[in-house]
């Protein structure tokens, strides 16, 4: 499957991966931005498969209804009910604490629409689970996947967010007007 994913991503679609996911530590939060199109998902899945690194994801529960539910779960997805305040951050921290190896990919924007401010759940998940954050982006302008080293948050949220934003500076998503 790894070879097949590489063939599709590199040969057919023309994408290159600048760097892979860190091998250590075995647990971290991956934030991927900008998230501007549904196309981001299949490219991210192909990237993950071609690198041989499982990165789980959460998505709105409507995506997990028949006939697609089995497919999204098989890809490592978990449905969430975004209409309820169900303490999702604490639930995800528990998952990290109960696994030897776990990587969770999230979009800090929380949507494909243009947003002024990122959601902060990923930050509090990393803080509560005591895991680093890895930044990833799909640079559509250059057809490159870029992945950072693991970054351990400092506890200074403002400084940490400046660090995150610097990684994504000048990156254009599929729909740059939504970046």
């Amino acid at each position: 499957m790894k070879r097949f994913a590489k063939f599709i991503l590199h040969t057919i679609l023309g994408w290159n991966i600048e760097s892979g996911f860190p091998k250590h530590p075995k647990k971290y939060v991956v934030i991927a931005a900008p998230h501007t199109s549904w196309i981001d998902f299949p490219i991210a899945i192909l990237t993950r498969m071609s690198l041989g690194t499982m990165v789980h994801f959460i998505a709105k529960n409507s995506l997990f209804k028949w006939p697609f539910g089995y497919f999204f779960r098989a890809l490592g997805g978990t449905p969430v009910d975004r209409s309820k305040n169900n303490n999702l951050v604490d639930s995800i921290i528990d998952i990290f604490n109960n696994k030897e190896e776990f990587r969770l990919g999230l979009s800090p924007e929380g949507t494909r629409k243009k947003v002024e401010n990122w959601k902060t759940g990923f930050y509090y998940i990393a803080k509560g689970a005591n895991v680093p954050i890895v930044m990833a982006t799909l640079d559509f302008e250059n057809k490159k996947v870029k992945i950072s080293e693991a970054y351990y948050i400092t506890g200074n949220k403002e400084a940490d967010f400046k660090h995150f934003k610097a990684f994504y500076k000048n990156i254009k998503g599929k729909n740059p007007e939504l970046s």
Side-chain angles (χ1 to χ4, degrees):
M1 197 50 114
K2 190 174 177 178
R3 281 181 158 167
F4 184 65
K6 279 184 181 181
F7 176 75
I8 293 171
L9 186 66
H10 299 297
T11 308
I12 295 176
L13 299 177
W15 281 78
N16 291 305
I17 301 173
E18 199 168 273
S19 55
F21 289 105
K23 298 290 183 216
H24 297 284
K26 298 281 186 189
K27 298 193 268 188
Y28 47 84
V29 174
V30 178
I31 58 171
H35 182 33
T36 65
S37 170
W38 67 270
I39 297 289
D40 298 347
F41 180 74
I43 294 173
I45 294 297
L46 286 168
T47 298
R48 181 192 81 179
M49 290 171 74
S50 64
L51 291 172
T53 304
M54 174 53 90
V55 178
H56 292 85
F57 63 93
I58 58 174
K60 58 185 173 184
N61 58 357
S62 62
L63 293 175
F64 290 83
K65 293 187 167 101
W66 190 87
F68 300 109
Y70 177 79
F71 174 72
F72 284 122
R73 281 182 181 85
L75 288 176
T78 300
V80 295
D81 185 352
R82 299 191 310 183
S83 68
K84 295 180 182 174
N85 185 1
N86 53 8
N87 215 349
L88 186 58
V89 169
D90 287 340
S91 298
I92 294 172
I93 290 169
D94 287 343
I95 294 169
F96 271 102
N97 290 337
N98 290 310
K99 301 252 186 197
E100 291 288 321
E101 184 172 323
F102 188 70
R103 294 166 205 89
L104 178 67
L106 299 167
S107 165
E109 297 110 328
T111 181
R112 292 184 307 264
K113 299 174 186 156
K114 186 171 180 66
V115 298
E116 294 303 316
N117 297 305
W118 285 356
K119 295 189 177 279
T120 57
F122 74 91
Y123 188 82
Y124 292 108
I125 290 167
K127 185 176 182 180
N130 197 29
V131 298
I133 294 173
V134 171
M135 295 159 283
T137 190
L138 303 176
D139 180 356
F140 275 83
E141 185 174 52
N142 299 301
K143 284 196 163 186
K144 282 188 181 175
V145 177
K146 298 178 183 181
I147 302 168
S148 77
E149 294 294 319
Y151 174 80
Y152 289 86
I153 61 174
T154 66
N156 179 336
K157 191 169 132 186
E158 188 176 318
D160 290 335
F161 271 68
K162 280 183 183 175
H163 177 81
F164 302 143
K165 295 283 187 164
F167 179 82
Y168 297 103
K169 188 178 180 187
N170 299 322
I171 300 294
K172 292 193 169 79
K174 172 76 173 153
N175 298 307
E177 69 279 4
L178 301 176
S179 297

